[in-house]
Amino acid sequence: MSAEAADPGAPLRRRSRPRIDLRRLGRVALRGPVSRDRLPDAISHVAEAHRAHHPDADLTILRRAYVLAESSHRGQMRKSGEPYITHPLAVTLILAELGAETTTLTASLLHDTVEDTEVTLDQVKEQFGDEVCYLVDGVTKLEKVDYGAAAEPETFRKMLVATGNDVRVMSIKLADRLHNMRTLGVMRPEKQARIAKVTRDVLIPLAERLGVQALKTELEDLVFAILHPGEYEETRALIAAATGPDDPLETIADNVTHTLRDAGISAEVLIRPRHFVSVHRVRRKRGELRGTDFGRLLVLVGEDADCYAVLGELHTCFTPVISEFKDFIAAPKFNLYQSLHTAVVGPEGAVAEVLIRTHRMHKVAEAGVVALGNPYAQDPAAPPQTEPSDERADPTRPGWLSRLLDWQESATDPDTFWTTLRDDLAQDREITVFRTDGGTLGLPAGASCVDAAYAQYGDLAHTAIGARVNGRLATLSTVLSDGDTVQPLLAQDTASGPSPDWLDHARTPAARIAITGWFSDHPDEAKPDPETADATGPGTRGGPAAATEREAPARSRSGPRPTGVVVDDPNAQVRLAGCCTPVPPDELTGFVVRGGAVTVHRRECPAVAAMQEIGRAPVVARWEDGEGRESDAGCRVTLVAESFGRPRLLADLTEAIATADAAIVSATVEPPSEQRVRHTYTLRLPDAAGLPGLMRAMRDVAGVYDVSRAQHPAPTG
């Protein structure tokens, strides 16, 4: 299987190396007579594959496990007519080729003994130790009980629980399903279709998330052949017709080989054929297939830095297709996958996709968590554990699996569990967001602050009222990006509950199940919250607020000009724009509007850019020295207060405004959204110098998290 066995320092070469043919290896493993005085030929194939990855492995335990499995299954036959021992042998060979460690292979040989024979777990523990016993027990629990119509949902629920404690249980289960899919032809067509659909909906996404691409791709092809036989045959015929001596990828591979050799980069350049489903997807995407669409180039190097050196040479010496470039080394996928993806244009315009990775990356890309060995092996350099613990901390367990384990216990209904599981597995990308305490949260792409709140606080998130994202206030509907820092904000009232709107923004099963469960327990709470409505005050459910007066005429010092504002034309009527209500010491810009009047805006007002876009020339405007205020009537300003809804909020805000000696000209309060309320006030102050103090007083009101100057678009005149 492995390009990992290749010597990175060996002379540069290129040869076609197909994807691992696990089916062929499975047949080979079952050939040859069994001799009592030596390692049986069947298990010797497993031993050979195992030694390729683990040269120093002790094979004694494998022989003992085979002897026990063969003797206990003796006389049992599969529906295909083969001796039953062929099944655990084939499953074990699949895992051996992927690089599984000895304990996993031992448990794989024995994975059906406790369920189907007289062998007990105590016997397994006595002969092979606690680890093997733990794995065999985990696999056995997946298939032990008949659950009737809910068999598949309950079986996979148990699979998740078992896998959460040891990812090797899932590895054995995936290999077990692969061999069963290979021999599915003996089943009735309707049963084949049912098993294939479950494999497609659950097992293949799980294999993808565990990074076991070698299993995933063959499972995809087997499911494709069963569920879409016509399209499968068309694809098979296309691949067969494209196989020949004139492979355009060969020419590009030769050019890449020479390019890298001339650059002094030691690399192995391989042609990697696409599997059936991959070819079918490319065909659906592009219509007519090109000669280079039946495979990709794989460049294997020794170090991470070499990957980028190869990329630089390819983009320098060939024409790159920039839209095809992806860096999964700097940002690995959720399933541990790392590689550089690019595409280059070869001779005669042929475009070849190129994968660039180290030998280690390639091993993990093919085998995923299986390639990582025993995640529970004691590190000799680590301090000894002083107290025994039932918790099996797994450093390879992906975050998505931890999430599934967190919510699966809450989904008591099998149909809810099944639907939610499929929806979660459909997520193909994961992001990591940071908590303010230094911890991290793994969430699916598209997750919102609602998801982060439930991921961090569980049911306490029912009281969430907002969040801070990267230090700024944000609504709970805000979609998070990879690397964001998020701090959910909880209300002090622990009796409050979620909003029905949260279900529109929740992406994680944990959040959706928790919210749905809360409303199931509080059916009357699905209606609008009267307290939240009261927070806006009577008669305030209008549309979005706009400035009450778009242009506020200011008193003129001589004729129509307002006191404190100077423009180029001393006779022009000057108006302060109501959209931004400038006050000293705001920087000003004016524009001539209909009737020859000059409307003066704050320089950062959005209306300024809008005026300039339609060709209006700006007029120089400034505050007059020593003036800058309306001496009798004071100055006018429009403020926007953002707050979380609560009772008496409007009363407290108006009291704060009155205490600051400001008069309310007009006020508009928008309908609450996700417990957030937006207030817009047009106020008159005796002096512009009091504006900062007024804004501070408004911010100090409980529940108000931001107060800012209004930025409403102004009419263009």
Side-chain angles (χ1 to χ4, degrees):
M1 154 189 178
S2 181
E4 190 70 11
D7 178 8
L12 194 66
R13 64 188 186 281
R14 182 200 51 77
R15 56 189 176 85
S16 177
R17 178 181 296 172
R19 191 180 298 273
I20 307 168
D21 190 349
L22 296 175
R23 184 176 307 178
R24 177 184 61 79
L25 291 167
R27 291 195 299 266
V28 170
L30 305 178
R31 297 173 185 164
V34 176
S35 172
R36 293 185 180 276
D37 59 353
R38 64 187 179 87
L39 198 65
D41 284 351
I43 193 65
S44 68
H45 288 85
V46 172
E48 181 182 352
H50 186 39
R51 279 280 176 85
H53 294 276
H54 305 276
D56 300 327
D58 182 2
L59 302 179
T60 305
I61 191 173
L62 285 180
R63 184 186 187 283
R64 290 195 290 111
Y66 172 78
V67 170
L68 177 59
E70 194 278 331
S71 61
S72 60
H73 287 299
R74 192 173 298 160
Q76 296 178 351
M77 306 296 288
R78 304 191 78 221
K79 291 186 178 181
S80 62
E82 298 173 311
Y84 195 88
I85 188 60
T86 60
H87 172 64
L89 266 175
V91 172
T92 306
L93 181 62
I94 290 170
L95 294 169
E97 283 294 323
L98 291 173
E101 41 78 50
T102 309
T103 303
T104 303
L105 300 185
T106 304
S108 176
L109 283 169
L110 301 171
H111 79 270
D112 279 336
T113 54
V114 174
E115 180 182 0
D116 297 335
T117 76
E118 299 299 322
V119 176
T120 67
L121 275 175
D122 288 339
Q123 289 176 290
V124 173
K125 183 175 183 179
E126 180 181 353
Q127 295 187 41
F128 301 98
D130 292 340
E131 286 291 300
V132 172
C133 177
Y134 189 92
L135 298 180
V136 172
D137 184 38
V139 179
T140 301
K141 287 178 178 177
L142 303 183
E143 306 291 352
K144 194 172 183 180
V145 181
D146 181 9
Y147 295 93
E152 291 293 1
E154 289 297 337
T155 294
F156 288 107
R157 182 200 292 269
K158 286 179 172 288
M159 178 193 300
L160 291 173
V161 174
T163 302
N165 290 327
D166 199 315
V167 291
R168 294 173 293 179
V169 173
M170 179 69 79
S171 302
I172 297 172
K173 179 60 184 177
L174 288 173
D176 174 78
R177 177 54 66 99
L178 175 56
H179 185 247
N180 285 334
M181 287 292 295
R182 289 174 179 171
T183 57
L184 208 57
V186 300
M187 301 286 187
R188 299 187 308 275
E190 59 271 19
K191 189 168 185 179
Q192 289 185 38
R194 183 182 69 83
I195 295 175
K197 287 177 182 178
V198 173
T199 303
R200 175 197 64 193
D201 294 341
V202 177
L203 268 296
I204 288 174
L206 286 174
E208 167 74 13
R209 293 194 169 212
L210 290 171
V212 194
Q213 294 296 320
L215 299 187
K216 177 205 171 222
T217 52
E218 187 178 345
L219 285 172
E220 282 184 328
D221 285 349
L222 291 167
V223 168
F224 186 38
I226 293 172
L227 298 182
H228 306 282
E231 293 174 312
Y232 175 84
E233 285 301 322
E234 290 180 10
T235 305
R236 186 191 61 78
L238 286 171
I239 293 174
T243 303
D246 299 328
D247 185 355
L249 282 177
E250 292 277 355
T251 303
I252 300 177
D254 285 334
N255 291 341
V256 170
T257 299
H258 289 99
T259 297
L260 298 181
R261 179 186 296 125
D262 293 343
I265 301 174
S266 178
E268 187 176 5
V269 182
L270 311 173
I271 295 177
R272 183 178 179 83
R274 291 183 183 273
H275 64 295
F276 283 34
V277 171
S278 180
V279 171
H280 176 67
R281 287 172 181 156
V282 173
R283 184 188 180 197
R284 291 184 61 183
K285 177 181 177 181
R286 295 180 182 158
E288 188 170 343
L289 292 172
R290 305 170 301 196
T292 54
D293 287 336
F294 294 91
R296 291 182 287 189
L297 298 186
L298 173 63
V299 181
L300 297 174
V301 294
E303 303 292 340
D304 290 12
D306 296 335
C307 294
Y308 293 98
V310 169
L311 181 71
E313 288 298 322
L314 294 184
H315 283 194
T316 300
C317 300
F318 298 86
T319 301
V321 182
I322 300 301
S323 61
E324 297 292 328
F325 173 67
K326 297 180 181 67
D327 187 347
F328 295 118
I329 295 178
K333 288 187 177 182
F334 57 80
N335 58 5
L336 311 177
Y337 177 88
Q338 288 184 287
S339 186
L340 295 179
H341 290 202
T342 189
V344 296
V345 180
E348 301 180 359
V351 177
E353 295 183 34
V354 185
L355 310 177
I356 308 168
R357 58 180 71 141
T358 66
H359 295 272
R360 172 64 177 169
M361 292 175 190
H362 181 58
K363 182 176 181 179
V364 174
E366 288 288 286
V369 296
V370 179
L372 300 181
N374 182 358
Y376 312 104
Q378 181 67 36
D379 184 357
Q385 189 173 359
T386 56
E387 297 182 4
S389 173
D390 294 333
E391 182 71 19
R392 296 168 65 86
D394 182 356
T396 69
R397 188 168 86 185
W400 63 266
L401 185 52
S402 297
R403 293 198 307 271
L404 292 184
L405 292 169
D406 289 339
W407 62 257
Q408 65 84 23
E409 293 181 358
S410 303
T412 55
D413 175 53
D415 292 334
T416 300
F417 166 77
W418 186 246
T419 302
T420 310
L421 171 64
R422 291 176 58 180
D423 290 345
D424 190 74
L425 291 176
Q427 302 286 344
D428 61 354
R429 194 167 65 86
E430 182 174 279
I431 63 172
T432 299
V433 298
F434 295 92
R435 295 163 34 172
T436 53
D437 61 4
T440 61
L441 298 173
L443 300 171
S448 66
C449 292
V450 171
D451 300 298
Y454 280 96
Q456 182 168 351
Y457 294 112
D459 287 346
L460 289 177
H462 293 328
T463 65
I465 55 176
R468 289 185 182 273
V469 178
N470 301 323
R472 298 178 64 86
L473 270 298
T475 64
L476 289 169
S477 62
T478 301
V479 176
L480 299 169
S481 299
D482 197 39
D484 280 347
T485 297
V486 60
Q487 179 188 9
L489 303 176
L490 306 184
Q492 295 180 353
D493 180 11
T494 58
S496 62
S499 165
D501 296 341
W502 292 8
L503 287 171
D504 296 332
H505 312 298
R507 295 292 178 268
T508 58
R512 297 187 64 82
I513 289 175
I515 296 168
T516 303
W518 192 90
F519 283 114
S520 296
D521 296 336
H522 305 79
D524 295 337
E525 298 296 333
K527 302 173 183 179
D529 185 355
E531 288 193 351
T532 302
D534 290 343
T536 64
T540 58
R541 288 184 176 272
T548 305
E549 297 180 10
R550 289 298 184 185
E551 294 179 353
R555 267 195 332 108
S556 173
R557 181 168 59 113
S558 60
R561 182 191 303 159
T563 301
V565 178
V566 177
V567 296
D568 290 341
D569 185 356
N571 297 316
Q573 181 182 8
V574 179
R575 300 170 179 172
L576 299 180
C579 57
C580 57
T581 54
V583 296
D586 294 337
E587 294 184 351
L588 305 177
T589 296
F591 293 93
V592 177
V593 296
R594 284 194 298 265
V598 176
T599 300
V600 177
H601 298 261
R602 293 165 57 197
R603 187 167 295 177
E604 64 269 25
C605 177
V608 172
M611 288 284 199
Q612 291 175 334
E613 286 179 1
I614 63 174
R616 295 289 181 89
V619 174
V620 175
R622 60 179 177 82
W623 298 107
E624 186 175 14
D625 294 341
E627 299 282 352
R629 61 178 59 90
E630 298 179 6
S631 57
D632 296 331
C635 69
R636 185 187 298 247
V637 65
T638 301
L639 299 179
V640 178
E642 303 278 358
S643 67
F644 298 118
R646 66 170 178 82
R648 290 193 51 81
L649 176 63
L650 188 62
D652 291 345
L653 263 174
T654 54
E655 182 180 353
I657 293 171
T659 302
D661 201 19
I664 299 177
V665 177
S666 64
T668 306
V669 184
E670 298 179 22
S673 174
E674 298 180 354
Q675 299 186 7
R676 196 179 76 162
V677 185
R678 179 184 175 97
H679 311 247
T680 303
Y681 298 95
T682 299
L683 308 171
R684 188 177 299 280
L685 285 78
D687 194 313
L691 179 59
L694 168 63
M695 296 176 71
R696 283 195 300 271
M698 293 174 68
R699 289 193 186 102
D700 289 340
V701 174
V704 176
Y705 59 82
D706 193 22
V707 176
S708 60
R709 301 278 295 279
Q711 295 284 342
H712 297 293
T716 58

